Amino acid sequence: MNTGDSRNFKTYDEFEDAVKKQLAYLIKMSVRNTHVSERAHMLRLPKTVRSICTEGCMESGIDCIRGGALYNNGPGLETTGLADLVDSLAAIKKLVYEEKVFSMDQLINMIQANFDGFEAERQQLIHNAPKWGNDEEYVDDIAARLMAFCAETTSQYKSTLGYSFVTGAVPVIANIPHGQVTCALPSGRKEFTGLADGISPFGGYDKEGPTSVIKSVCTLDHTKSGCGNLLNMRLSPSV
């Protein structure tokens, strides 16, 4: 998907529009891949035990993978790295377009170098731009907007059996291997390190305590996430 050279975008809105087009394209390609996977499961991997335990399959005599269940939903496109996305967009919005601390060309060069030789600039990206999970409207609005966009775009597609696709941020532990094939990001995250866990903040970027994390999470419209959203919070036993 060619959305133009980001160096030529004059406003943050132009940049975010390009990001949405890229996301829409990735969703479309994921749907196509899922259709192939659905067909392969129908032909080669019947779900016998699951069908026996699923209401409707025994009555209809149809395997659950072929739509025999009484209730059918999805497939679900489960996403990874909400915080990585919105932290990156917030950093670009604030430090490139608003405060003009960096040009887009400078930011791209830093990312391509994995911040090698740019540690001071990386720390600016980490500490001088708002981060998801701190109850900051600036970044929470971006998260809510992008989450809603992905959910609405995904729901426009149908499975091979005619059911609507759903989405949600439920990577379980996939955020770690996904991060191992992801380049450096404008959020200050270095390449090949783990991505954020579900809708949780990126590790170490939440500074205002668990209540602020929950308040940020509550700005999302979770009714749009058919797979649900995963928030993990780990509190020290001393607390």
Side-chain angles (χ1 to χ4, degrees):
M1 168 62 68
N2 185 357
T3 48
D5 190 334
S6 59
R7 297 174 181 88
N8 298 328
F9 297 150
K10 302 300 182 185
T11 66
Y12 171 77
D13 288 339
E14 285 185 70
F15 180 83
E16 187 176 296
D17 285 344
V19 170
K20 287 178 178 177
K21 289 176 183 176
Q22 293 286 345
L23 287 170
Y25 176 76
L26 290 172
I27 290 168
K28 180 180 179 180
M29 292 300 102
S30 296
V31 167
R32 288 185 178 180
N33 289 334
T34 302
H35 285 161
V36 173
S37 178
E38 283 184 294
R39 186 63 179 158
H41 278 256
M42 289 179 187
L43 292 173
R44 300 293 184 184
L45 291 169
K47 312 300 179 188
T48 306
V49 175
R50 186 189 302 177
S51 295
I52 290 172
C53 300
T54 301
E55 186 177 2
C57 293
M58 293 291 286
E59 294 82 352
S60 65
I62 301 173
D63 191 279
C64 65
I65 197 65
R66 293 180 176 270
L70 181 61
Y71 303 105
N72 293 278
N73 188 33
L77 299 184
E78 297 178 356
T79 57
T80 302
L82 173 70
D84 301 285
L85 173 63
V86 300
D87 287 350
S88 295
L89 290 177
I92 290 170
K93 182 179 181 181
K94 186 174 183 63
L95 299 181
V96 174
Y97 287 102
E98 293 179 355
E99 298 184 357
K100 302 188 187 304
V101 176
F102 309 115
S103 68
M104 184 63 76
D105 188 59
Q106 289 174 312
L107 181 62
I108 291 171
N109 289 336
M110 287 187 278
I111 291 170
Q112 290 177 336
N114 191 31
F115 298 109
D116 290 342
F118 298 101
E119 184 58 29
E121 291 84 353
R122 176 174 175 258
Q123 292 303 318
Q124 287 182 279
L125 291 167
I126 293 173
H127 297 291
N128 295 349
K131 297 292 187 287
W132 168 251
N134 292 293
D135 187 27
E136 290 195 50
E137 185 177 353
Y138 188 99
V139 68
D140 292 353
D141 283 350
I142 297 174
R145 188 163 60 247
L146 269 293
M147 178 75 88
F149 172 81
C150 290
E152 290 163 6
T153 302
T154 301
S155 67
Q156 295 172 10
Y157 293 98
K158 302 289 185 181
S159 71
T160 54
L161 296 175
Y163 307 117
S164 294
F165 272 76
V166 294
T167 189
V170 194
V172 190
I173 59 169
N175 56 299
I176 302 303
H178 287 174
Q180 291 171 346
V181 293
T182 302
C183 68
L185 296 176
S187 63
R189 171 198 159 274
K190 285 199 165 189
E191 66 181 0
F192 310 146
T193 57
L195 297 171
D197 180 11
I199 57 173
S200 308
F202 185 81
Y205 282 9
D206 54 312
K207 303 294 186 182
E208 301 300 324
T211 302
S212 290
V213 173
I214 293 170
K215 290 175 74 174
S216 286
V217 166
C218 286
T219 64
L220 304 176
D221 184 355
H222 297 279
T223 65
K224 295 182 181 295
S225 299
C227 299
N229 295 313
L230 176 65
L231 170 65
N232 277 323
M233 299 181 69
R234 298 171 179 84
L235 303 180
S236 168
S238 64
V239 174

